[in-house]
Amino acid sequence: AGYIGIMPPRGSDEWRPTVEWLERIFASSNQIAAVVNRHVDGILGREPDWNLIRAQSVRDRQTDDQNEEDDTVAQQAIDALVDWWNDRDVIGNILKPCMAKCLTEKRAVIRAFVPPGYLEANGTLSRAGNLRAGLDRLQFEILSVRDAGVFEDQDTRQKFGVYYYRPTDANEQAYYELCFVNDAGLTELIRVTDRGSILFEADPIDLNGNLYLYEVETDLLITEPVRSLQRSINYALTTMNKNLN
């Protein structure tokens, strides 16, 4: 939120000296950040309760020994997930930043991906030694809806995700990542250029019908009136600073 006071016309002789003067005395108090952080802490201040369970119909079809074996495997998976959750600080590093972006932009996208260093020469994903090692490979990033989103195909009513990679230097190439669930129920990922040429096509995997992208939407908290109040606070603090100096 910048300065909202009266300024000389841009390009006039007074413009540059006024800007330099404002850079020296400009004062601000980021009340928007305080509001967002307090709201996010109110939503995600506690660890959620979760568990791994199987459908009762599956348990009914199996013997007691089979159910006991499955329970042991499930507990091992829970232990690995809890360790990974705590070490990665999923709430602080993933969920809270996502919620903060939603409150200021209304929507945000969580992208799950595995870094390319874990790919074999033929492009397939190398096998991890155990569940925890596999979880450690999984990375997440929070994206603006300007760069990613989950959409619905108008013909099939099926969800699909789109992510646009913006190059950070001249040696990189921009591309789109498309993910969707095929007719076999497996999730596919295709990376293409803006001209439609395929750069990479991942092996379809079973994600239980989910995509690599997950879009979160909530009511907008930081509306334009709130931003206007923030600008007014900055103006009042800057004026006070000007009067004191």
Side-chain angles (χ1 to χ4, degrees), residues 83 119 187 193 230:
D83 288 342
L119 296 179
T187 302
T193 66
Q230 176 67 76

Side-chain angles (χ1 to χ4, degrees), residues 140-160:
F140 297 90
E141 62 178 337
I142 311 303
L143 301 169
S144 169
V145 291
R146 294 186 297 272
D147 297 320
V150 176
F151 308 93
E152 185 178 89
D153 185 279
Q154 295 301 310
D155 295 328
T156 64
R157 298 299 182 183
Q158 296 297 313
K159 300 287 187 180
F160 68 94

Side-chain angles (χ1 to χ4, degrees), residues 220-231:
L220 190 64
L221 179 66
I222 307 304
T223 58
E224 184 53 37
V226 175
R227 297 180 188 275
S228 178
L229 288 172
Q230 176 67 76
R231 289 190 288 267

Side-chain angles (χ1 to χ4, degrees), residues 11-23:
S12 65
D13 293 340
E14 295 82 11
W15 170 259
R16 176 49 54 188
T18 303
V19 170
E20 293 175 351
W21 170 74
L22 278 174
E23 289 175 348

